[in-house]
Amino acid sequence: HCLMCDLWKNTLEAPTPKGAIPQQIRFALERLPLADTLKLYNAGSFFDRAAIPREDHEEIASLARGFERVVVECHPALVGDSSLMFRDLLAGPALEVAMGLETANEEVLRRLNKGMTVADFENAARFLRAHDVSVRSFILLGIPFLRKEEWPAVTRASIALSFRAGAQIVSLIPTRLGNGAMEELQRQGQFTSPTLRDLEAALEDFLEGKEGCPRAAGLVFADLWNADALAAPSCCAAARVNRLRKMNLIQRNVPLPPCPSGCRH
């Protein structure tokens, strides 16, 4: 029911059958290259019993034992004892839970229909950190109901709040169209799709250590999934995405090479 979410397109209308998720994980692991981190993102909440049957947790944990770190996503309201039980089942790999804060603006968060408050996120994050579970925060870049000139300050405030709550990683995710509701807000003039330049500016802002954005507290990544769909000059869009990819890895600003066409970025 989150206003900005399109994950419902990839969910089932009934609870996930027992055994289906381990089967999917085995299928993927047989085909993917070796890695030290396993992300289990399920278009929902890992600790939602209807999405991931609790009976499958032990088998999922056994499939993940060759990794150093396992990352799952979850709504803050569903974080609790089941998170700690899964942490113990892993028996080796460190557990990281990714949660959507979306924004530190309480009123906008309410209007997004996320079903949580900023305090709910903070409490869930502190609970996880108190039990040696790492936290990743998702923050929306370009949220509706705000003017574009308000975005930088809100993004900085959301990053700072995430780190204060105990997150070690923040992912900046451009808000995208595609679920119908966002198109309607755009038609009403209450939403403007973020551009590639907006994503660049947000990451640059953090890496420059602007006031209110505590760089030393953790890592901030620009989420580059489907980045080629963000509005950008076609002549240099690929170079700019590659620049962001490098900045994600080294956590430093990198100058953008001059555009061959001479455009002003």
Side-chain angles (χ1 to χ4, degrees):
H1 295 280
C2 300
L3 182 70
M4 73 295 173
C5 186
D6 61 0
L7 293 180
W8 51 268
K9 294 180 177 180
N10 298 305
T11 58
L12 303 176
E13 295 182 357
T16 306
K18 184 179 181 301
I21 299 300
Q23 182 179 353
Q24 291 179 32
I25 295 173
R26 281 193 298 270
F27 179 90
L29 292 180
E30 289 169 359
R31 290 158 176 80
L32 292 171
L34 294 176
D36 56 17
T37 298
L38 175 65
K39 281 186 179 180
L40 300 174
Y41 287 5
N42 61 300
S45 292
F46 187 87
F47 299 112
D48 176 356
R49 288 176 178 267
I52 310 285
R54 190 71 54 84
E55 298 84 356
D56 284 341
H57 281 196
E58 186 170 357
E59 187 174 0
I60 293 171
S62 69
L63 291 168
R65 293 223 175 94
F67 294 87
E68 295 177 11
R69 185 166 52 118
V70 175
V71 188
V72 302
E73 60 181 343
C74 190
H75 190 288
L78 296 173
V79 165
D81 290 342
S82 60
S83 313
L84 306 186
M85 293 171 62
F86 184 68
R87 174 207 61 187
D88 294 342
L89 286 172
L90 286 172
L95 176 62
E96 179 179 309
V97 176
M99 301 186 293
L101 168 61
E102 320 304 357
T103 178
N105 184 303
E106 196 78 67
E107 174 58 19
V108 172
L109 186 61
R110 183 190 66 78
R111 296 180 73 179
L112 289 176
N113 201 32
K114 177 80 180 181
M116 59 170 255
T117 63
V118 170
D120 291 334
F121 174 89
E122 293 175 306
N123 291 337
R126 287 169 180 155
F127 170 84
L128 291 168
R129 294 301 299 126
H131 293 90
D132 298 320
V133 177
S134 298
V135 173
R136 177 181 303 232
S137 172
F138 295 140
I139 291 174
L140 291 176
L141 175 70
I143 52 178
F145 312 118
L146 294 179
R147 300 186 311 276
K148 192 164 185 173
E149 52 267 31
E150 297 178 278
W151 291 357
V154 171
T155 300
R156 286 195 293 272
S158 302
I159 293 172
L161 187 144
S162 296
F163 287 146
R164 286 198 304 271
Q168 295 112 319
I169 296 174
V170 169
S171 292
L172 300 176
I173 303 176
T175 308
R176 58 182 181 264
L177 298 168
N179 67 354
M182 299 309 298
E183 281 82 354
E184 177 60 20
L185 289 177
Q186 185 180 59
R187 188 189 66 79
Q188 297 174 9
Q190 297 193 77
F191 172 66
T192 301
S193 293
T195 65
L196 184 59
R197 181 59 198 138
D198 293 324
L199 184 58
E200 290 173 312
L203 186 57
E204 290 165 357
D205 195 27
F206 170 75
L207 295 177
E208 287 171 5
K210 292 288 183 69
E211 183 178 356
C213 227
R215 178 179 173 184
L219 307 175
V220 171
F221 299 134
D223 190 311
L224 298 180
W225 181 86
N226 209 28
D228 56 354
L230 297 174
S234 58
C235 51
C236 55
R240 291 165 66 174
V241 170
N242 286 335
R243 170 180 176 256
L244 284 174
R245 186 171 290 111
K246 183 173 183 180
M247 288 163 60
N248 279 344
L249 290 171
I250 68 175
Q251 290 292 290
R252 292 199 307 273
N253 278 330
V254 173
L256 184 65
C259 179
S261 70
C263 80
R264 294 188 175 183
H265 310 297

